[in-house]
Amino acid sequence: MTHRQFEFERIRKLFFKVNRYKVKERLVIENLSLKQDETWSPYTQGDYFGQKNTYYEVKGQFEIPAAWGDLPVAFEGFSNPAESDNSTNPQMKVYLNGEYVQALDTNHREVLLDDHFKEAGVIDFSVPIFSGREEKKFPLHFNVIAYDPATYELYYDLATIFDAWRGVEKFGGDALFYEQKLVEAVNHLDFRQPYSQEYYAGLAAAKAVLATMYEVSDATPQKVTAIGHTHIDLAWLWTVQQAIEKGERSFQTVFKLMDEYPDYTFVNSQPQQYQFMKDNYPELYAEIKEKIKEGRWEAEGAMWVEADCNLTSGESLVRQVLYGKRFLKEEFDVDSKILWLPDVFGYSAALPQILKKTNTPYFMTTKLSWNQFNQIPYDSFYWQGIDGSKVLTHFITTISEHYNPTPYYATYNGLLDPYSIKGTFDRYQQKKVHDEVMVAYGYGDGGGGPTREMLEYQKRLMKPLPDMPTITGNTANGFFERLNQKEKQLPTWYGELYFEYHRGTLTSIGKNKKYNRQIEFLLQTIEKLYSQYDFVNYPQEALERMWKVVLLNQFHDILPGSSIEEVYQQTTKEYEAIIAECQSLLQALPIAATKDRYTVYNSLGFGRESVALLPTTGTVKTVEGTTLTSQVTHDNQLLVALPEMAALDSLNLELSKAAVAHFDSETVEKTFETIDFKVVLNDNYEMISLVDKANNREIIPQGEKLNELVAYEDIPMDYDAWDIDVYYQEKSWAVDAVSEVKWVEKGPIRDTMKVVRPFENSTITQWIHFNHGTKRVDFETAIDWQLDQVLLKAQMPIAVNTLEATYDIQFGNVTRNIHKNTTWDWARFESCGQKWVDLSEGNYGVSVLSDSKYGFSTDFQKIGITLIKSAIDPYPQADIGLHEFTYSIYAHEGTWKEGQTMEAALDLNVPVLVLAGELAVEQDRPFFEVDQPNILLDTVKKAEDSEHVIVRLYEYMNSQSQAVITSQKPVKKAVLCNLLEEEEQELIVENNQIHVSFKPFEIQTVKVYF
């Protein structure tokens, strides 16, 4: 060892040389046939062909030479050996004599053949091929290879110690000891005559030296739970159908390697993926079930899919876990304990309670290691939500040697090699608390999961090595159970887990998000109507089927807007089919088709004075004869001011075709008054003063403009559809030109001003509704958008004094600082709000409401709402075309609580439902009423497993409360349930009044026996 500085390179070159001799013989297969467009033609190895998203097949024959009888033999198939992206290269399946053996991809290039093939003579093989997602031609190569067993074993022995040396050198330990042993081992190698007696003697001597590494007594106590995994996005740069095929190919590869490696265990999440396998590949599904019974395949994950947790509603998150856990229990007898969300773009502070109330005690992710500015200071901790519920959380710390954009980056598609294992434990921040980390290793997205190389490393790392963690565990549940024993030593993280990245997913592909919001409420409305008026015909199967389509499309690359065009072509079809089916279900209710009669239904869980929009004109009366105030709209429909309707109440209306007054358009003056406001406009017809007349309160700060439309250059550093980067405000353009402005409505219900603003080759049309007596101004918006990589926001300056904003989230709300005093505050320059964001001071505030927008920015005295993202990758036309949505400003006395912001936001999102005809209404009172204003009745549905009714409510003002639910129907019994509808505690019922207690922000689920 006279030249230590060169020993690493010398050993590395000798290690590579051993690799050259692993394959002792290679037989190139000739006379291949290629099937293209249903036509077979001869194919020569290495010839380029193909186009993207296309299916091909290659077939041929081979015979294993008799001389190979004692050697391990493999079928080898690959495209370009230099490429490694498994989603752009061909993915193949191998059939030998009609038997489906394994899949091949760029990470899995050989199929080890069972011994019976050596006696089979001529073997017919067939390889169906999916070309991949990129428009590029590719070659194919097919060979039969024979391994040299002694070289193969020595290669992985040497590779393990060599890679451990790299890890110890980088992350700490006695690297000199490793170096000395490696030098001693490689000095025995003799490559003069490969496969000679001297060659094998050298291998044996080197192997013996390396074996002494495992005899060192001071092995590290650090441990690793290593679980095979293949994270498959159910849609992203491919369609759902292609993801189904990726799953089938990957799982077949898992089975083959499980047969070869008895210590290989595998974890897979997403019940939807299992359902796909059950529906499309029943034989494979049966084998999955067998592997689960054997304990070698861990079915976990809890949610139906790995869903986005920002944009989905509270009830959607409940259904994700409800349907997910029910499937795993019914199909596999598994009570899923882990919410497995490695790749989701931020985590709502409502999640810990949802997990607690579904008996899901553990949560795993790693995505927040991608944060741009701040590292979460823990990897194992308790995560406490807004209600106080806690869930044991672990961030996988698997390092990625070749892609590490942040110093604390970790991956859920980990490699299993000694360097990564050593670095993963070094990266773990709770080493003083826990002596074990978890690694989910394997190629994802159709890459087949773990490779034979990874499993060879695992076999060797299960024995202790000096200064190296030892692989000991093999299930995620086992890891969490051991971690849970450290409960008193683990820290707590409070509130949301905000992701400092991918902020553009709050806005990208707005049309898709609008459909999702609309259908979430529509499905809940139908559940309420059938529970209330036609329980005997409750469409449970149809509702579950539709919910599961919605849940699938809440996958974390579908709903966020980060998939390819074909994905959204499919979601549009599915959403429109759901809306059509829901309309059919509404028409199937017990409604008498009486001419000129309408039923209006308040599907919300609180009473409200609202308006109904009828698709006709005339004079409207209640059936008792009371004439209601009405107004013809600019598009020749009829707004009707309704008397106060209780929660879940309906009202029958009668229309007479009397002549009604139509409003002729008028010129808009720069100064005008409505019932609620005094308004001043500038020369561009932007609001520069908005005075709340009742409070003599100016809403717009001096020198600012309300509803200021601003376009920003939006060219992110990396992920176009995903990201809005912090510098986006550096370049902007005012969208203030006016091509048309006029009053199109003035009446007893509202005044409406139409403003049309051209911007480049796009057009923004807004109908600004001043809704009388509500202090709410709606900006009904239609945009023909034709720009790329330009972000459109509406800026709302608000003259209130506060340093924090309140954001609506699922089952409650959170406050976020509006200043930038710390890097944590600075990083939240774009945050998620479900239906509203509010700025309030002690006795006054203003909220911004939205019917489908989720991305908000807040600053001192300003709320910005992001309207359009217009990314070009991965979907070049992502937001090109028509956008229709409404957002509002809502002024109120007191804070958002006293001002009833939640009620106003829900009124915007869920208008009173109008049904043609007379609904058969027997009761005089609404179905259910709640006596406390801070308790929101959210869901009424049929129980999953019985003929009882489920009522779900939540407290949303952070106040402990005792509530009474009054039922119109006689109540026999009421039982408090968890979110899985499992009964927990019988409740007091007196005179059809159910008594329920609520902790702050608590969700309560009640099963009602009538």
Side-chain angles (χ1 to χ4, degrees):
M1 292 197 7
T2 55
H3 300 289
R4 278 201 61 205
Q5 66 266 39
F6 299 115
E7 287 294 6
F8 178 85
E9 288 303 323
R10 171 178 173 257
I11 294 167
R12 186 167 70 94
K13 296 297 287 188
L14 291 171
F15 158 55
F16 288 163
K17 190 149 188 172
V18 174
N19 187 40
R20 283 174 52 195
Y21 296 118
K22 275 193 318 185
V23 176
K24 192 172 186 180
E25 301 281 353
R26 175 174 274 109
L27 176 67
V28 178
I29 302 175
E30 307 288 351
N31 301 320
L32 301 174
S33 296
L34 171 66
K35 184 181 181 182
Q36 303 185 72
D37 301 322
E38 302 304 315
T39 301
W40 289 94
S41 59
Y43 177 70
T44 301
Q45 288 217 37
D47 284 355
Y48 281 74
F49 72 97
Q51 58 189 31
K52 72 175 183 179
N53 294 338
T54 305
Y55 295 87
Y56 303 94
E57 186 176 351
V58 168
K59 67 181 181 181
Q61 294 179 328
F62 65 88
E63 186 172 4
I64 299 172
W68 294 8
D70 295 330
L71 300 177
V73 177
F75 176 87
E76 182 181 59
F78 58 89
S79 178
N80 189 335
E83 294 184 344
S84 61
D85 185 323
N86 48 273
S87 67
T88 61
N89 289 310
Q91 296 164 56
M92 301 176 274
K93 305 198 289 189
V94 177
Y95 290 83
L96 301 179
N97 287 341
E99 176 188 347
Y100 183 17
V101 184
Q102 185 191 307
L104 296 177
D105 54 66
T106 193
N107 309 302
H108 302 80
R109 301 180 182 186
E110 74 285 333
V111 180
L112 196 65
L113 302 185
D114 295 340
D115 285 341
H116 73 269
F117 285 111
K118 294 181 179 179
E119 311 298 328
V122 175
I123 297 168
D124 292 311
F125 76 87
S126 165
V127 181
I129 302 156
F130 175 68
S131 64
R133 65 177 174 86
E134 279 194 355
E135 196 66 79
K136 66 177 185 181
K137 296 186 181 300
F138 54 88
L140 289 176
H141 304 270
F142 295 103
N143 310 303
V144 185
I145 59 177
Y147 287 111
D148 181 69
T151 309
Y152 189 93
E153 284 295 311
L154 190 275
Y155 169 77
Y156 282 108
D157 290 345
L158 186 60
T160 300
I161 303 304
F162 178 78
D163 211 50
W165 176 31
R166 288 200 314 120
V168 168
E169 183 81 56
K170 173 73 173 178
F171 301 110
D174 189 352
L176 181 60
F177 177 68
Y178 275 86
E179 181 182 345
Q180 290 169 339
K181 287 290 185 180
L182 282 164
V183 168
E184 183 183 351
V186 300
N187 282 345
H188 287 290
L189 297 177
D190 186 345
F191 295 108
R192 291 172 298 168
Q193 294 293 329
Y195 312 121
S196 66
Q197 185 175 346
E198 291 78 9
Y199 172 83
Y200 286 120
L203 295 184
K207 188 175 182 65
V209 171
L210 296 176
T212 64
M213 296 287 292
Y214 296 94
E215 299 169 2
V216 178
S217 59
D218 60 343
T220 174
Q222 298 169 351
K223 297 186 285 291
V224 174
T225 289
I227 318 152
H229 182 51
T230 178
H231 172 85
I232 297 178
D233 286 315
L234 294 182
W236 176 29
L237 305 177
W238 44 84
T239 63
V240 170
Q241 179 57 42
Q242 289 165 0
I244 295 170
E245 296 164 10
K246 286 173 180 286
E248 184 261 354
R249 288 190 296 263
S250 291
F251 297 157
Q252 188 67 30
T253 301
V254 169
F255 295 148
K256 182 67 170 68
L257 292 177
M258 277 187 170
D259 292 341
E260 299 174 28
Y261 295 91
D263 293 316
Y264 173 22
T265 58
F266 183 79
V267 64
N268 191 66
S269 62
Q270 303 196 102
Q272 173 69 84
Q273 197 173 40
Y274 290 114
Q275 183 71 60
F276 285 146
M277 297 302 109
K278 182 179 181 180
D279 294 341
N280 294 278
Y281 308 103
E283 292 181 5
L284 179 141
Y285 185 69
E287 189 162 358
I288 289 174
K289 296 186 82 167
E290 194 58 39
K291 290 289 189 285
I292 291 170
K293 284 182 186 176
E294 293 171 7
R296 301 196 59 196
W297 182 301
E298 196 172 11
E300 263 299 344
M303 279 188 178
W304 186 248
V305 301
E306 292 178 13
D308 178 272
C309 294
N310 287 319
L311 309 167
T312 47
S313 70
E315 188 60 26
S316 289
L317 289 175
V318 169
R319 302 299 172 99
Q320 288 281 0
V321 183
L322 173 68
Y323 291 133
K325 292 196 65 162
R326 283 174 65 87
F327 182 94
L328 295 172
K329 185 66 176 176
E330 291 169 1
E331 292 289 317
F332 310 134
D333 195 28
V334 168
D335 182 13
S336 177
K337 296 294 185 185
I338 306 169
L339 179 60
W340 185 276
L341 296 180
D343 189 27
V344 172
F345 313 148
Y347 304 95
S348 164
L351 266 176
Q353 182 179 189
I354 293 171
L355 297 182
K356 184 174 183 179
K357 287 185 177 264
T358 54
N359 301 324
T360 311
Y362 309 133
F363 172 52
M364 188 288 295
T365 186
T366 187
K367 196 70 174 184
L368 271 70
S369 71
W370 296 33
N371 272 5
Q372 285 183 310
F373 302 108
N374 302 282
Q375 182 180 12
I376 300 288
Y378 320 121
D379 294 315
S380 297
F381 57 97
Y382 281 89
W383 177 25
Q384 181 168 315
I386 53 175
D387 72 306
S389 296
K390 290 186 177 183
V391 57
L392 179 59
T393 300
H394 179 72
F395 289 176
I396 284 180
T397 59
T398 310
I399 67 164
S400 172
E401 182 178 4
H402 303 294
Y403 177 74
N404 42 10
T406 66
Y408 34 85
Y409 174 86
T411 180
Y412 45 86
N413 288 323
L415 300 180
L416 194 152
D417 56 56
Y419 183 91
S420 297
I421 292 298
K422 178 69 173 174
T424 296
F425 202 95
D426 181 75
R427 161 71 177 74
Y428 185 46
Q429 297 177 94
Q430 262 73 53
K431 287 189 281 287
K432 292 183 179 179
V433 174
H434 196 48
D435 61 356
E436 183 179 359
V437 294
M438 178 165 61
V439 173
Y441 66 93
Y443 290 100
D445 288 333
T451 62
R452 184 172 284 105
E453 180 178 64
M454 295 176 189
L455 295 167
E456 290 289 346
Y457 280 132
Q458 173 173 287
K459 187 165 63 176
R460 289 160 175 80
L461 291 172
M462 292 176 74
K463 299 178 290 183
L465 279 170
D467 298 313
M468 281 291 295
T470 305
I471 294 177
T472 56
N474 59 7
T475 69
N477 262 298
F479 171 82
F480 272 104
E481 287 168 2
R482 292 184 290 276
L483 180 61
N484 197 34
Q485 296 171 9
K486 307 293 176 68
E487 177 180 5
K488 294 182 180 178
Q489 298 161 266
L490 292 172
T492 298
W493 178 272
Y494 296 88
E496 65 183 335
L497 287 168
Y498 175 84
F499 185 36
E500 298 178 359
Y501 209 29
H502 292 0
R503 302 168 185 87
T505 61
L506 302 177
T507 305
S508 285
I509 308 191
K511 177 175 144 182
N512 206 57
K513 293 172 171 61
K514 177 72 179 289
Y515 272 131
N516 177 75
R517 173 83 67 93
Q518 179 183 1
I519 290 171
E520 284 175 330
F521 283 123
L522 182 56
L523 290 174
Q524 285 184 272
T525 296
I526 287 175
E527 289 173 340
K528 291 170 182 173
L529 280 164
Y530 272 89
S531 297
Q532 189 168 353
Y533 295 118
D534 198 10
F535 192 68
V536 68
N537 292 313
Y538 190 92
Q540 188 162 12
E541 181 277 330
L543 283 164
E544 179 174 333
R545 173 171 40 76
M546 289 187 286
W547 265 114
K548 284 180 176 177
V549 174
V550 172
L551 300 183
L552 167 61
N553 289 332
Q554 290 170 345
F555 180 78
H556 64 259
D557 270 313
I558 302 178
L559 184 57
S562 46
S563 290
I564 58 174
E565 178 179 7
E566 294 88 338
V567 171
Y568 298 106
Q569 291 172 341
Q570 182 65 26
T571 59
T572 296
K573 291 178 184 176
E574 290 171 344
Y575 286 140
E576 290 178 352
I578 289 174
I579 291 170
E581 185 169 0
C582 286
Q583 292 303 321
S584 296
L585 287 172
L586 289 174
Q587 292 166 15
L589 286 163
I591 297 177
T594 309
K595 185 180 180 183
D596 294 331
R597 291 288 179 94
Y598 291 89
T599 300
V600 291
Y601 177 67
N602 175 20
S603 63
L604 296 178
F606 54 85
R608 58 172 163 169
E609 287 186 23
S610 192
V611 296
L613 184 64
L614 272 56
T616 183
T617 60
T619 300
V620 178
K621 297 181 180 181
T622 64
V623 291
E624 291 82 15
T626 304
T627 300
L628 300 179
T629 301
S630 62
Q631 175 181 332
V632 179
T633 66
H634 63 278
D635 53 356
N636 209 38
Q637 299 185 80
L638 193 67
L639 279 180
V640 181
L642 301 173
E644 181 167 355
M645 297 178 66
L648 310 184
D649 201 4
S650 58
L651 179 68
N652 288 328
L653 304 179
E654 184 176 0
L655 178 79
S656 64
K657 291 290 188 178
V660 292
H662 288 73
F663 176 76
D664 292 326
S665 63
E666 289 182 2
T667 301
V668 176
E669 301 294 332
K670 298 293 177 60
T671 302
F672 60 87
E673 291 192 28
T674 71
I675 290 176
D676 296 313
F677 299 110
K678 294 178 182 177
V679 184
V680 179
L681 307 177
N682 65 12
D683 290 340
N684 294 321
Y685 293 91
E686 298 167 300
M687 287 186 225
I688 56 174
S689 175
L690 183 69
V691 174
D692 175 351
K693 290 160 63 173
N695 291 280
N696 194 25
R697 175 81 187 228
E698 174 63 71
I699 289 173
I700 305 175
Q702 180 70 33
E704 298 281 3
K705 296 175 282 190
L706 190 72
N707 189 42
E708 181 183 20
L709 298 177
V710 184
Y712 299 89
E713 183 177 75
D714 178 35
I715 304 177
M717 289 181 283
D718 291 311
Y719 299 100
D720 195 14
W722 290 260
D723 291 345
I724 298 172
D725 279 320
V726 68
Y727 54 73
Y728 80 94
Q729 297 182 68
E730 292 291 324
K731 187 188 296 183
S732 63
W733 302 272
V735 183
D736 57 4
V738 181
S739 62
E740 181 184 352
V741 58
K742 61 183 177 181
W743 289 111
V744 293
E745 291 179 35
K746 281 190 177 180
I749 297 176
R750 71 187 187 192
D751 294 348
T752 297
M753 178 171 60
K754 180 183 179 183
V755 182
V756 180
R757 299 188 186 277
F759 178 68
E760 302 299 329
N761 54 346
S762 300
T763 305
I764 298 99
T765 303
Q766 292 195 309
W767 293 268
I768 303 173
H769 304 296
F770 294 88
N771 301 292
H772 300 325
T774 66
K775 295 187 184 178
R776 189 176 108 196
V777 181
D778 295 341
F779 299 89
E780 181 187 347
T781 305
I783 301 179
D784 177 13
W785 191 254
Q786 300 296 328
L787 293 166
D788 291 334
Q789 293 190 310
V790 175
L791 188 79
L792 182 66
K793 291 180 80 83
Q795 298 289 2
M796 299 290 189
I798 295 167
V800 297
N801 183 42
T802 180
L803 293 180
E804 60 183 23
T806 305
Y807 286 71
D808 177 47
I809 67 166
Q810 302 93 337
F811 296 124
N813 44 80
V814 295
T815 57
R816 299 178 180 129
N817 293 332
I818 57 89
H819 56 69
K820 304 294 185 283
N821 288 354
T822 71
T823 56
W824 296 90
D825 302 318
W826 192 56
R828 288 189 178 90
F829 58 84
E830 186 88 356
S831 296
C832 184
Q834 278 272 318
K835 298 176 292 297
W836 55 268
V837 174
D838 181 81
L839 297 180
S840 290
E841 58 191 40
N843 63 352
Y844 196 82
V846 177
S847 307
V848 174
L849 322 176
S850 169
D851 74 349
S852 59
K853 299 300 171 186
Y854 296 86
F856 293 88
S857 55
T858 49
D859 210 329
F860 183 69
Q861 294 195 329
K862 184 173 286 188
I863 297 174
I865 177 169
T866 307
L867 306 179
I868 295 177
K869 173 82 171 80
S870 64
I872 58 174
D873 182 63
Y875 177 5
Q877 302 289 105
D879 279 313
I880 300 299
L882 181 64
H883 297 252
E884 295 180 308
F885 51 85
T886 300
Y887 57 94
S888 312
I889 60 159
Y890 173 63
H892 55 79
E893 297 178 14
T895 68
W896 66 266
K897 299 176 184 179
E898 296 84 21
Q900 299 185 318
T901 287
M902 176 67 95
E903 289 90 332
L906 282 166
D907 184 63
L908 172 68
N909 276 269
V910 191
V912 171
L913 181 68
V914 177
L915 301 170
E918 278 191 291
L919 185 63
V921 181
E922 296 178 2
Q923 67 265 28
D924 296 325
R925 296 173 54 203
F927 195 24
F928 291 107
E929 288 182 293
V930 185
D931 68 337
Q932 297 297 325
N934 59 315
I935 307 298
L936 184 63
L937 191 158
D938 189 43
T939 296
V940 179
K941 62 181 284 287
K942 181 183 174 296
E944 294 294 314
D945 297 322
S946 68
E947 298 302 308
H948 307 303
V949 171
I950 294 292
V951 180
R952 185 150 29 251
L953 318 91
Y954 63 95
E955 197 288 319
Y956 67 94
M957 293 188 185
N958 196 26
S959 301
Q960 188 164 314
S961 302
Q962 300 292 325
V964 175
I965 308 168
T966 301
S967 170
Q968 170 268 329
K969 297 173 68 175
V971 177
K972 178 180 177 183
K973 183 171 75 169
V975 182
L976 199 63
C977 300
N978 62 18
L979 292 173
L980 300 176
E981 302 182 12
E982 297 167 339
E983 297 188 359
E984 293 184 338
Q985 174 191 345
E986 188 164 347
L987 297 169
I988 295 172
V989 179
E990 299 173 332
N991 300 320
N992 301 324
Q993 293 185 323
I994 305 166
H995 295 260
V996 189
S997 62
F998 289 81
K999 296 174 184 173
F1001 291 127
E1002 186 170 20
I1003 312 161
Q1004 294 287 36
T1005 302
V1006 180
K1007 184 183 290 183
V1008 181
Y1009 291 68
F1010 288 117

